[in-house]
Amino acid sequence: MTRQERGRRRRAHLLTTAVTLLTEGGFTAVTHRNVARRAGLPLAATTYYFTSRDQLLTEAFQHLVHTELDTLRHWITQHGLTELADQIHHADRDRQLALWELYVHAGRHPHLRDIARHWTEGCVRILTDTLHLPAGDPRPRLLHTAISTLWLEHVVEQHPLDHTRTLLTTAVATL
């Protein structure tokens, strides 16, 4: 293995570790020291690959959003939009809390806003494609707003699946 390949693997391992800490403990759990400890690497490794905590958090959130958008697109392609309530209900709660934490922190940390916007726009694009609507049609954004609210309610308040399914079915039918 070349030195560059070893460096890429080490950096990827640190990033994956940061995402794991983010999902387990939230925004405050991601520090250079915690990532290095969990990854089993010296502290100098995290500061070498990620010059600041902001960079580490930004890339961890980017990775999380990218993964979640892929998961969402795959789920809807395989199961359909009306079954999304099941995905919301059975999704990894810690990962979902981390996504919503991104959204809240983006309000205070400008370097995270573009990532939050990418998540929103990615979800809207998936809904637009699924509903076979033209780009710019406001209905997918409206549906995304309803889905996001149901998702957040489920993650925080842990509503029963039937509650989420009924409201999601109503929102989709309304379109």
Side-chain angles (χ1 to χ4, degrees):
M1 175 184 331
T2 68
R3 186 176 180 151
Q4 283 183 330
E5 180 61 28
R6 189 171 55 247
R8 279 192 293 272
R9 285 185 182 188
R10 181 176 265 197
R11 188 178 196 287
H13 178 59
L14 289 166
L15 186 57
T16 301
T17 302
V19 170
T20 299
L21 286 168
L22 183 62
T23 60
E24 289 176 359
F27 194 79
T28 59
V30 181
T31 65
H32 282 279
R33 187 172 311 286
N34 287 346
V35 171
R37 185 179 310 120
R38 176 67 71 87
L41 295 169
L43 179 59
T46 59
T47 57
Y48 176 79
Y49 292 106
F50 304 96
T51 57
S52 67
R53 180 171 182 260
D54 284 349
Q55 181 189 9
L56 184 59
L57 278 165
T58 298
E59 291 192 37
F61 275 128
Q62 285 172 331
H63 184 77
L64 182 61
V65 165
H66 177 76
T67 301
E68 291 303 309
L69 286 173
D70 285 348
T71 300
L72 180 62
R73 183 174 293 280
H74 178 74
W75 176 267
I76 290 174
T77 300
Q78 296 297 312
H79 303 282
L81 190 54
T82 56
E83 299 300 315
L84 190 57
D86 290 300
Q87 169 64 6
I88 291 169
H89 186 74
H90 297 293
D92 179 342
R93 185 170 185 272
D94 289 338
R95 287 182 75 81
Q96 302 315 308
L97 282 170
L99 281 167
W100 290 110
E101 193 169 3
L102 159 67
Y103 219 71
V104 170
H105 281 285
R108 294 186 195 272
H109 302 276
H111 65 278
L112 298 176
R113 283 190 194 127
D114 286 339
I115 302 166
R117 189 173 294 116
H118 177 72
W119 179 32
T120 299
E121 295 303 323
C123 289
V124 170
R125 192 169 30 261
I126 290 168
L127 293 172
T128 300
D129 294 347
T130 301
L131 296 169
H132 307 290
L133 294 171
D137 188 306
R139 292 175 290 178
R141 182 164 296 280
L142 181 60
L143 181 58
H144 168 67
T145 301
I147 290 169
S148 294
T149 301
L150 291 171
W151 202 336
L152 184 56
E153 280 183 351
H154 175 72
V155 168
V156 174
E157 300 172 22
Q158 299 188 334
H159 288 287
L161 176 59
D162 288 342
H163 170 82
T164 305
R165 184 179 285 128
T166 299
L167 291 173
L168 179 60
T169 301
T170 303
V172 171
T174 302
L175 287 180

